[in-house]
Amino acid sequence: MVTLIIHKIIEEREKKRKLEKLNMILGVFFSEAGTSLLAYISVLDENPELMKKELAIKQDWSDKTFKKVSKKIESFSYAVNINDIDMKDFETFLHSKRDLLIKLIGNPALLEHDTFTELLRAVFHLDDEFATRDLDTMTSQDRNHIATDIKRAYKLLVLEWLGYMKYLKNRHPYYFLFAVKTSPFNAA
């Protein structure tokens, strides 16, 4: 019986340690690429006021508030307008983050975080789409395909960002305050 209890305690401690490492990886992603990517894509959002309203995170948000907003955001119908985007600038930005993304996806801690892995996969795919197209002569079908890929990445990015914000609030309030201040959804 004592062995089982000790084993359970060790398992819980190991699980917490892995979760902390994973959140450190998320922190690197958001500080080096994710927040900027959110800023790029949120400008393309066809309904930015709705996103700003829902994602205007406040210091007093509870876990319950984060959960409620996450459910709401997950059910959104994401729409982006890529007509005014500087495709070459966006491609350059994505490509400049490729080495970081490769390093992140190679981290074994991600094996236990399917949603972040899926986000990285969506961003890689978007970078590949930009890299394989002549951005000056894209057809409307190409543009629609890119818009669909951006929407997929946007949704995954917003959901992962919201979860990370919750983590910061609970574990690192000083980082949380900075993240709220620099949020692309900040109405200020």
Side-chain angles (χ1 to χ4, degrees):
M1 185 66 136
V2 172
T3 304
L4 289 174
I5 293 171
I6 291 172
H7 182 68
K8 187 69 173 168
I9 291 170
I10 292 171
E11 277 182 354
E12 285 299 315
R13 205 176 276 160
E14 182 66 19
K15 186 177 177 182
K16 285 180 183 178
R17 191 178 66 74
K18 284 181 181 180
L19 187 59
E20 193 63 32
K21 280 185 178 181
L22 176 62
N23 280 300
M24 285 175 59
I25 293 168
L26 285 169
V28 168
F29 170 75
F30 280 108
S31 69
E32 296 296 319
T35 303
S36 297
L37 185 56
L38 262 178
Y40 260 97
I41 297 174
S42 65
V43 170
L44 307 175
D45 195 323
E46 289 188 345
N47 196 354
E49 292 311 312
L50 180 61
M51 291 299 271
K52 284 181 180 181
K53 177 184 167 225
E54 292 301 327
L55 294 172
I57 297 174
K58 304 285 187 257
Q59 292 179 28
D60 63 347
W61 275 25
S62 65
D63 285 355
K64 189 176 179 180
T65 305
F66 275 102
K67 188 175 183 176
K68 184 180 94 178
V69 171
S70 184
K71 278 187 174 186
K72 204 173 203 181
I73 293 295
E74 193 167 4
S75 67
F76 273 2
S77 179
Y78 290 77
V80 294
N81 180 350
I82 64 167
N83 292 328
D84 296 329
I85 186 176
D86 181 340
M87 292 284 196
K88 289 186 180 189
D89 187 49
F90 195 35
E91 175 191 29
T92 300
F93 170 76
L94 284 174
H95 199 67
S96 74
K97 302 304 179 187
R98 193 165 185 86
D99 287 343
L100 170 69
L101 298 175
I102 289 169
K103 288 175 184 169
L104 292 177
I105 208 154
N107 193 307
L110 292 183
L111 295 174
E112 299 186 28
H113 198 316
D114 293 337
T115 58
F116 186 58
T117 302
E118 197 58 35
L119 167 60
L120 291 177
R121 198 173 281 132
V123 174
F124 269 118
H125 178 73
L126 190 55
D127 184 40
D128 288 343
E129 287 290 341
F130 275 106
T132 59
R133 297 182 191 283
D134 180 351
L135 301 178
D136 294 322
T137 62
M138 285 199 318
T139 65
S140 61
Q141 185 178 5
D142 289 338
R143 292 181 77 74
N144 288 339
H145 185 90
I146 293 279
T148 300
D149 291 339
I150 290 173
K151 282 191 303 189
R152 182 182 320 113
Y154 187 35
K155 180 177 184 175
L156 294 167
L157 191 56
V158 167
L159 289 168
E160 203 63 49
W161 177 80
L162 190 59
Y164 182 65
M165 293 295 284
K166 176 183 171 189
Y167 162 79
L168 286 180
K169 181 170 187 328
N170 291 333
R171 297 292 304 248
H172 304 284
Y174 45 95
Y175 284 137
F176 173 73
L177 294 175
F178 178 76
V180 167
K181 185 178 180 179
T182 60
S183 165
F185 303 108
N186 189 339

